[in-house]
Amino acid sequence: MSVSPSTTLDSQLTTTWGTTNSHPDVPMVMSGYTSRLWPCDTEPQFWSKYQVWEWLQQVLDMHQMDVSSIPFQNFDMDGHQLCSLSYQDFLRAAGSMGPILFQSITELKWSGQYHMELGQLELKPELDFSCTFPDVSYPPGEIYNPLNHPLTPASPNPSSPDPRGTHLWEFIRDILLNPERNPGLIKWEDRTEGVFRFLKSEAVAQLWGKKKNNSSMTYEKLSRAMRYYYKREILERVDGRRLVYKFGRNARGWRESDK
DNA sequence: CCTCCCTTTCCTGTTT
DNA sequence: TAAACAGGAAAGGGAG
């Protein structure tokens, strides 16, 4: 009676977001630190630099924290180096996020070894989350917003017409501005700077395709259109971070003060 | 019909 | 290695 591949478990666990998934391309952002849902299903010791960054990103997502909460540049290393860091190293590299990261990586190292057993644990998201990290103090002076009331469901109202803008960048903006309509597709990385990140790139592409009555839309093609925006300064480049974009000077209507 | 603009499609090469 | 990123080239298609 083996519990094996992640697909079975994924299908059991899919979804805090509810309806719009079925896209295994992007890991669900949810629950504990256990590794079955992790994008890197290898042991952390063998992660590439990029996988290390993905992990950081995931930890931020789990805590609903802003990207500025972790100095990414202090983690310019591969999995082997990461795993050799001590608790003190984590404190130095990430301040008050250090303990969280240390705990996460410790657990992942452990679960890499015993993932069979772990596969049977943890079907109780909230539980392991809150128990593992009861109170973490966040960096002082951080803008981090502890609660955006993620639990307000706000009627999905599927019958209403699509109020999102007709141009691609407006469409993206309007998803960001109305996350309750499409939770978990795109999220703000830095609200005031207009930095955002695709969480489910293919799902967004599908949605865009649906709007344009084009069932063959992909993120590949959508992203080409996004890149054209750089020249027009509707978007600004964000280097080095995959699926991350930033609104530029010619993008209107995304600021909180614009509302 | 023509032009302009905003993509869409496809592609080759690079990076992570 | 797969998925993103970079842009060139060219075609599509709607608005005016």
Side-chain angles (χ1 to χ4, degrees), chain A residues 97-125:
Chain A
M97 281 297 287
I100 294 178
L101 295 172
F102 181 76
Q103 171 114 20
S104 171
I105 197 63
T106 302
E107 194 171 321
L108 283 165
K109 280 193 273 189
W110 184 85
S111 66
Q113 282 178 288
Y114 302 103
H115 64 88
M116 288 304 274
E117 286 80 355
L118 252 183
Q120 288 154 4
L121 300 177
E122 202 254 334
L123 290 178
K124 309 217 163 168

Side-chain angles (χ1 to χ4, degrees), chain A residues 3-235:
Chain A
V3 175
S4 50
S6 51
T7 50
T8 344
L9 288 155
D10 280 351
S11 56
Q12 291 174 26
L13 287 175
T14 7
T15 241
T16 9
W17 311 119
T19 54
T20 48
N21 45 31
S22 77
H23 286 274
D25 58 335
V26 178
M28 290 289 133
V29 176
M30 60 180 293
S31 70
Y33 287 105
T34 40
S35 55
R36 288 167 299 80
L37 301 175
W38 212 257
C40 331
D41 53 2
T42 58
E43 294 172 37
Q45 286 86 344
F46 303 119
W47 287 350
S48 64
K49 276 188 185 181
Y50 172 61
Q51 285 171 307
V52 170
W53 279 40
E54 274 192 324
W55 165 71
L56 290 171
Q57 205 80 255
Q58 289 288 323
V59 175
L60 286 173
D61 285 342
M62 287 172 184
H63 291 267
Q64 308 201 343
M65 293 182 71
D66 193 88
V67 67
S68 59
S69 307
I70 296 179
F72 274 55
Q73 66 279 9
N74 291 353
F75 291 91
D76 184 24
M77 60 183 74
D78 61 26
H80 179 72
Q81 293 168 286
L82 183 74
C83 288
S84 68
L85 297 184
S86 67
Y87 183 80
Q88 290 303 322
D89 291 332
F90 273 97
L91 282 181
R92 272 191 292 274
S96 58
M97 281 297 287
I100 294 178
L101 295 172
F102 181 76
Q103 171 114 20
S104 171
I105 197 63
T106 302
E107 194 171 321
L108 283 165
K109 280 193 273 189
W110 184 85
S111 66
Q113 282 178 288
Y114 302 103
H115 64 88
M116 288 304 274
E117 286 80 355
L118 252 183
Q120 288 154 4
L121 300 177
E122 202 254 334
L123 290 178
K124 309 217 163 168
E126 306 87 342
L127 198 147
D128 71 359
F129 182 87
S130 51
C131 287
T132 315
F133 302 106
D135 42 40
V136 179
S137 61
Y138 294 101
E142 204 51 71
I143 335 139
Y144 155 64
N145 183 356
L147 267 196
N148 287 333
H149 295 293
L151 296 180
T152 47
S155 64
N157 199 359
S159 57
S160 64
D162 185 356
R164 290 169 293 223
T166 55
H167 289 157
L168 175 57
W169 72 269
E170 296 170 314
F171 179 81
I172 299 296
R173 175 199 65 192
D174 295 342
I175 289 176
L176 277 161
L177 264 31
N178 302 290
E180 69 282 355
R181 284 179 59 90
N182 298 99
L185 294 182
I186 313 175
K187 72 171 282 209
W188 290 110
E189 288 276 297
D190 187 327
R191 183 69 180 78
T192 56
E193 291 297 310
V195 180
F196 58 92
R197 180 163 57 92
F198 285 75
L199 298 175
K200 300 185 190 175
S201 52
E202 291 303 334
V204 174
Q206 296 276 308
L207 206 58
W208 173 238
K210 192 174 161 196
K211 184 180 183 67
K212 301 289 289 292
N213 198 23
N214 174 356
S215 59
S216 64
M217 181 49 59
T218 62
Y219 178 71
E220 174 90 25
K221 291 185 276 194
L222 182 152
S223 65
R224 181 68 189 95
M226 296 286 277
R227 290 195 292 276
Y228 274 123
Y229 286 144
Y230 295 141
K231 205 178 257 301
R232 297 168 56 199
E233 297 189 276
I234 287 168
L235 293 178

